[in-house]
């Protein structure tokens, strides 16, 4: 292994999920050892080499070799599939047991003593059990994992299995569900449309008496109108179905990661005077903890100055076709119209800025409050936000009275350079990759929910 290879291998760590890679490695063993290809069907007769004195009978064409080759193939389809499925299920059950042991150790305050922690040191907190064996059966019915002979269980297979297991586990106790915006509820850079299939599913969640919140990096200080534009299709649907004020109060938007909270409800349109469904800004003193209120404006701006300086250096060093966008509690790199920044360049901006800000905080005097931040790759841009979604979810949990094991966050940015990653420390999570997968997991979730008596007929 060359030095260059080792360096490149280490740099890929931020693109991997250790738990998923661990499970993937376990499932790879039975696939390699037992998932044999089908026996080939011969389309022409085999010529007996004994008829011509063995002139055409090479060392690999005799009868004995044909008998040896028989072991290279699977004779029957169904026994192979059933055997593979049983092996996969045994592995998933073993991981399920390891997770439960890790949960027990965590409750005793010694999660590092668990077997799973020793194998996957970076493993996160599990707030619920995970029925992985049952979830695998569900995934196998949809994707025929055990029947595959050339494609082993993949990263995405395991990610979806973990999602299904989490849905099964949390459904009976779920109280708060939060969503990322871009690439979770709608495509990147777009808005919520009137035709989105997610509208009916979100309303169903609200009818189940769940608190539903969008936790987004998009930051418009106190400006409900900007968020109403992004969510126009959803808000129009709430109005179209004439949802009650009680039901609308189940819906929230938390912008700027954790900085600007809005509640949904009926209000007067300032232009027409008509009753419309919209968002109302909630004053920070109402919901923010003392720690957040202690962040000083001048220290926030000084912190963002350091981040902006590093981002400008990245733009210059890599000759990026981008501009710097500065907000009151965020600063970022946005590509010029028609330009696209490569993922590796975005990751470089994130990782170098994270390092610079951590160094800045270490050099700052003890009189300054260590301001939490989030530097993340947004897919086509990079932003540094004051605060993060971990704080955002915790703020909502405190304000709405939801425990970690009754809170679920759905997002697409769960690699270490993403801004959903931090939420794993405070709630259960679902890792999706697009709005279609969000629709899929919600279709799994909604039949498992309990509805108040007055909502059952409408759900």
């Amino acid at each position: 292994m060359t030095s260059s290879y080792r360096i490149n291998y280490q740099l890929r760590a931020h693109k991997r999920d250790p738990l998923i890679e661990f499970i993937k490695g376990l499932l790879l063993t039975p696939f390699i050892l037992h998932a044999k290809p089908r026996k080939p069907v011969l389309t022409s007769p085999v010529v007996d080499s004994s008829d011509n004195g063995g002139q055409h009978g090479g060392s690999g064409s005799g009868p004995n070799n044909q008998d040896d080759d028989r072991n290279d193939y699977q004779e029957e389809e169904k026994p192979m599939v059933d055997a593979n499925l049983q092996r996969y299920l045994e592995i998933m059950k073993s991981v399920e047991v390891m997770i439960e042991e890790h949960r027990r150790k965590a409750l005793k305050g010694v999660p590092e003593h668990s077997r799973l922690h020793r194998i996957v040191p970076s493993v996160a907190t599990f707030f619920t059990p995970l029925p992985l064996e049952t979830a695998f059966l569900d995934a196998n019915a949809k994707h025929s994992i055990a029947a595959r002979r050339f494609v082993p269980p993949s990263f995405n297979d395991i990610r979806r299995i973990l999602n299904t297991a989490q849905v099964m586990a949390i459904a009976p106790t779920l109280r708060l569900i939060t969503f990322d915006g871009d690439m979770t509820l709608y495509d990147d850079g777009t808005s919520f449309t009137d035709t989105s299939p997610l509208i009916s599913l979100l309303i169903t969640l609200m009818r189940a008496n769940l608190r539903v919140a969008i936790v987004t990096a998009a930051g418009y200080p106190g400006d409900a109108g900007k968020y109403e534009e992004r969510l126009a299709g959803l808000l129009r649907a709430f109005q179209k179905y004439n949802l009650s004020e009680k039901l609308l109060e189940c819906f929230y938007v938390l912008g700027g990661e954790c900085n600007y909270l809005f509640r949904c409800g009926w209000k007067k349109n300032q232009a027409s005077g008509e009753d419309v469904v919209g968002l109302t800004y909630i004053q920070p003193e109402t919901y923010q903890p003392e720690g957040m209120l202690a962040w000083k404006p001048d220290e926030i701006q000084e912190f963002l100055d350091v981040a902006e300086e590093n981002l400008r250096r990245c733009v210059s060093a890599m000759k990026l076709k981008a501009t710097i966008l500065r907000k009151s509690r965020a600063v970022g790199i946005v590509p010029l119209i028609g330009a696209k920044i490569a993922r590796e360049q975005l990751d470089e901006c994130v990782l170098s800025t994270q390092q610079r800000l951590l160094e800045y905080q270490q050099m700052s005097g003890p009189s300054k409050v260590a301001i939490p931040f989030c530097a993340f790759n947004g897919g086509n841009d990079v932003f540094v936000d004051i605060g993060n979604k971990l704080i955002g979810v915790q703020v909502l949990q405190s304000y709405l009275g939801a425990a970690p094991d009754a809170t679920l966050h759905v997002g697409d940015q769960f690699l270490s350079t993403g801004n959903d990653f931090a939420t794993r420390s405070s709630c259960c999570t679902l890792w999706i990759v697009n709005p279609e997968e969000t629709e899929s997991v919600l279709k799994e979730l909604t039949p498992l929910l309990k509805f108040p008596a007055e909502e059952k007929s409408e759900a």
Side-chain angles (χ1 to χ4, degrees):
M1 181 185 292
T2 66
S3 175
S4 175
Y5 183 90
R6 283 198 299 270
I7 292 171
N8 290 335
Y9 179 82
Q10 293 298 325
L11 288 178
R12 289 207 306 271
H14 65 280
K15 298 180 182 178
R16 294 175 178 269
D17 182 276
L19 178 63
I20 292 180
E21 295 295 338
F22 168 61
I23 299 173
K24 180 181 171 184
L26 294 178
L27 295 174
L28 188 60
T29 299
F31 176 83
I32 291 174
L33 295 179
H34 302 292
K36 298 177 182 179
R38 296 179 182 84
K39 186 175 182 180
V41 178
L42 299 177
T43 57
S44 59
V46 177
V47 178
D48 189 345
S49 59
S50 61
D51 291 344
N52 52 26
Q55 293 180 10
H56 300 289
S59 60
S61 59
N64 290 336
N65 282 328
Q66 290 180 11
D67 290 340
D68 292 340
D69 289 346
R70 196 173 299 145
N71 294 324
D72 294 339
Y73 303 106
Q74 188 71 38
E75 294 294 332
E76 298 181 49
E77 177 76 14
K78 191 173 186 304
M80 184 279 291
V81 174
D82 291 345
N84 278 356
L85 178 59
Q86 188 58 41
R87 295 182 187 105
Y88 288 151
L89 289 177
E90 289 173 358
I91 289 172
M92 299 308 283
K93 186 62 179 179
S94 296
V95 176
E96 188 177 321
V97 170
M98 292 174 72
I99 288 174
E100 265 309 284
E101 188 234 2
H102 182 75
R103 280 168 38 80
R104 291 195 300 272
K105 298 292 186 184
L107 289 174
K108 295 178 181 179
V110 286
E112 65 277 8
H113 292 179
S114 76
R115 187 181 178 205
L116 183 60
H117 185 274
R118 290 195 295 271
I119 298 170
V120 188
S122 62
V123 68
T125 304
F126 296 94
F127 295 102
T128 68
L130 290 181
L132 296 176
E133 185 180 27
T134 305
F136 187 93
L137 282 170
D138 182 83
N140 188 65
K142 296 175 182 176
H143 303 290
S144 306
I145 299 172
R148 299 192 321 228
R149 301 164 183 258
F150 292 92
V151 179
S154 68
F155 181 97
N156 283 328
D157 285 324
I158 299 163
R159 177 180 57 77
R160 288 189 290 258
I161 290 167
L162 288 168
N163 285 347
T164 298
Q166 186 62 82
V167 164
M168 292 175 174
I170 201 172
T173 58
L174 183 60
R175 177 170 174 76
L176 168 65
I177 181 167
T178 63
F179 296 88
D180 179 35
D182 287 348
M183 292 307 295
T184 299
L185 296 177
Y186 37 79
D187 290 334
D188 192 26
T190 64
S191 301
F192 217 116
T193 64
D194 301 76
T195 58
S196 171
L198 294 174
I199 290 175
S200 61
L201 292 166
L202 293 177
I203 293 175
T204 300
L205 297 177
M206 294 159 64
R207 293 194 189 282
N209 202 30
L210 300 185
R211 300 301 179 266
V212 179
I214 298 176
V215 182
T216 175
Y220 313 114
D223 188 351
K226 291 286 188 181
Y227 294 103
E228 289 171 348
E229 289 178 14
R230 297 294 301 272
L231 302 175
L234 180 62
L235 297 178
R236 281 195 293 267
F238 288 170
Q239 186 170 329
K240 174 184 175 182
Y241 294 115
N242 197 30
L243 299 188
S244 68
E245 186 70 21
K246 179 182 176 182
L247 207 58
L248 291 176
E249 287 179 354
C250 293
F251 186 80
Y252 294 81
V253 175
L254 183 58
E257 309 282 1
C258 60
N259 290 291
Y260 318 113
L261 182 60
F262 302 82
R263 180 192 290 112
C264 189
W266 289 94
K267 65 181 188 178
K268 292 286 185 182
N269 184 299
Q270 293 182 352
S272 65
E274 296 177 347
D275 287 335
V276 296
V277 173
L279 301 173
T280 301
Y281 181 59
I282 301 176
Q283 293 299 324
E285 295 79 9
T286 307
Y287 66 92
Q288 289 186 0
E290 291 184 4
M292 285 185 68
L293 296 173
W295 299 345
K296 298 178 180 178
D298 58 330
E299 292 183 3
I300 288 176
Q301 296 311 311
E302 183 179 335
F303 187 85
L304 292 176
D305 288 342
V306 176
E308 181 177 342
E309 179 186 11
N310 194 82
L311 291 174
R312 289 190 181 279
R313 183 193 61 77
C314 290
V315 171
S316 175
M318 292 187 283
K319 298 179 175 59
L320 302 180
K321 295 180 179 179
T323 185
I324 301 294
L325 179 61
R326 179 75 175 254
K327 299 183 179 182
S328 61
R329 290 203 169 192
V331 61
I333 293 174
V334 179
L336 299 176
I337 297 175
K340 185 170 177 62
I341 305 175
R343 184 182 65 181
E344 291 78 8
Q345 293 173 313
L346 295 170
D347 284 342
E348 173 67 20
C349 294
V350 170
L351 296 172
S352 67
T353 305
Q354 283 178 344
Q355 179 67 21
R356 176 68 186 95
L357 290 173
L358 291 173
E359 291 172 351
Y360 166 76
Q361 288 183 327
Q362 289 175 348
M363 293 185 296
S364 298
S367 60
K368 290 187 176 181
V369 176
I371 299 174
F373 71 95
C374 176
F376 67 96
N377 175 351
N380 199 33
D381 55 26
V382 169
F383 267 90
V384 177
D385 288 334
I386 298 299
N388 54 49
K389 287 190 180 180
L390 168 62
I391 297 173
V393 169
Q394 290 173 337
V395 162
L396 289 171
Q397 287 173 330
S398 175
Y399 186 61
L400 301 174
D405 61 356
T407 305
L408 183 64
H409 179 71
V410 184
D412 69 303
Q413 295 284 343
F414 280 103
L415 293 175
S416 62
T417 53
N419 63 342
D420 294 307
F421 179 77
T423 62
R424 287 180 168 177
S425 299
S426 62
C427 67
C428 305
T429 59
L430 299 182
W431 185 350
I432 54 81
V433 297
N434 53 44
E436 290 73 27
E437 277 201 359
T438 303
E439 179 186 1
S440 178
V441 296
L442 292 185
K443 284 182 175 178
E444 292 179 9
L445 173 63
T446 49
L448 303 178
L449 298 175
K450 297 178 181 179
F451 293 86
E454 64 270 21
E455 298 292 351
K456 283 184 178 179
S457 61
E458 300 182 58

